[in-house]
Amino acid sequence: MRYGGTLTLVGAGDADNLDPALSVHTATRGILRAYTRQLVTYRAGRDQEAAGVVVADMATELPTRENGRLDASGQEYVFTIRPGVRWDDHRPVTATDIARGLKRLAHPDAPSPSLTYFARTIRGLAELRDRLASVDPTEVAKVIECTTLEGIEVIGTDTVVLRTLGHSVDFLNILALPSATPAPIDYCGFLPGSDDVVRRLRSNGPYRVETYVPGKEIQLRRNPAWDPATDPVRAAYLDGISVRMGVSEEESFRLVDSGEVDMLWDIQPMTVELPRLFGDPRLEIHPAGLFSPYLAVNMLSPNENRATSKVGVRRAVSAALDREAVSRVWGGPRLSDLAWRILPPLCSAHTPIAPLPEGAPTGDPDLARSLLADAGYPDGLTLRMVHRDRDIHPESVHEMREALARAGITLKPVPVSINELFTTYFASAEPAVRGDWDLAFTGWEPDWHGDNARTYLQPLFESRPEGSWNLGFYASPRVDRLLAEGRDADDRATANAAYRAVEAEVLRDMAVIPVLFAHQYWFHSAAVRGWEPYPVLNGDLTNAWLAP
């Protein structure tokens, strides 16, 4: 290992949000590891079995019945913050900061995308969310700051007691999410994710954000208040981390390939470059089991006489897709598996027997035409597909457009930036209701590995979309009941049985259209050493170092 130097990443897009409560983009979460800490976390590494094992981070230890920090019901967790954990202005991180960080996830004007996990798990947080929805906007900050919840009890300055709704077998996994980062008093009164918060960002990790120029650069430098003795998972070999944004895919790849820059930021090597990189140690491949890409389906669209609200149309789109062609764009079978289901092999709830029969790998246009006719569209129809305008997404959409055309479905691509995708198309129901899009080419990455069926199913399919990723506003009372059974189960086997039933139900409804299970892969220069995958993030930059 070698200390020093600045690791530079390069890419085309921007961070979605530097506020950990709002961030969902994988590339952004990669740098959150450097400047945020949670009560619990994961170690970086290549061992798939260890990837989902929660370890203590800011907390002195994991709550267990043996150490007296988990009660007999399995619903009360006691955490104590390690002495010496501080914000970058040298103030101690307190139990109140932890409580504030959790409560602000329910802000009515900027709910966290992870809110669905927390509100369905921590006692009183759903009620706070509902109360805040009816509070005068000028009073929201005060209510968040002053309201006490049964599920969040602050004891002194360093201890917090968290209580769950029933026995939640994955509560520690939820607390390891970046959105569970504590929030200092500096954020009070400001909208989560706003420029006001970003200008006031505080770090409790080994680095802090010193410069952020949207669309151009992010500069992280060492946090002078971080004490390595308090941090069991981050080494912090680098002096700094720099992100150069707004660079084309071709130029970004050239810079890394030539060694002028250290690592790609938010893009992957172009498809044409992949064959020569297989076997090259600079290309890191991690079979992470992503449900990505898939097609989100807008159930509210008025287009074509509400075509996407009809299950026959959704099944026709799935039948028409040439998944093999999309897979080739994504690097072929080394980097992706064809998907007709939601839970990938690395999920503990996955079973070898598919919930529904798989279709033709290259598509079945005749079957698709028949399904369309049965749904009332014998002459075909036109659908709008919104997608990212960079990386391998436009090429993927081109392949889908060709395949759907063979079945009589005209696809109108709507290319947008990743920020516009999140902030304009997915931020509210209005674009969906207007019919700005019918299908969305997107992806879902689990928030943890291993026992993680909940992370695929609850955000994507729970009927109430507040703070969730239910992009198409799918609603099913039966699915909601099954999700609740999984959340409330006392053991993993019972939970997984409920989640398998959810998967079968949403596939029968074709609530989304699976395309691939992609593997994660990253490309860096030969100078980058010690780089290791970290669950669903962009690798653990805090344990990487640079060779001279």
Side-chain angles (χ1 to χ4, degrees), residues 382-385 397 400-401 404 409-413 439:
T382 298
L383 300 175
R384 295 170 58 84
M385 180 180 287
V397 172
M400 289 187 288
R401 186 180 186 183
L404 294 180
I409 302 171
T410 300
L411 195 64
K412 292 184 63 175
L439 302 170

Side-chain angles (χ1 to χ4, degrees), residues 226-238:
W226 176 75
D227 181 355
T230 72
D231 196 331
V233 297
R234 300 166 185 82
Y237 298 111
L238 302 163

Side-chain angles (χ1 to χ4, degrees), residues 80 91 162 171 178 293 318 436:
T80 298
R91 287 176 298 169
L162 302 179
F171 184 48
S318 179
D436 293 351

Side-chain angles (χ1 to χ4, degrees), residues 59 74 80 96 128 141 152 203 218 242 245 300 302 317 357 360 375 453:
T80 298
T96 298
L128 175 63
I152 306 175
S203 165
I218 304 172
S242 174
M245 301 178 290
L300 306 181
V317 172

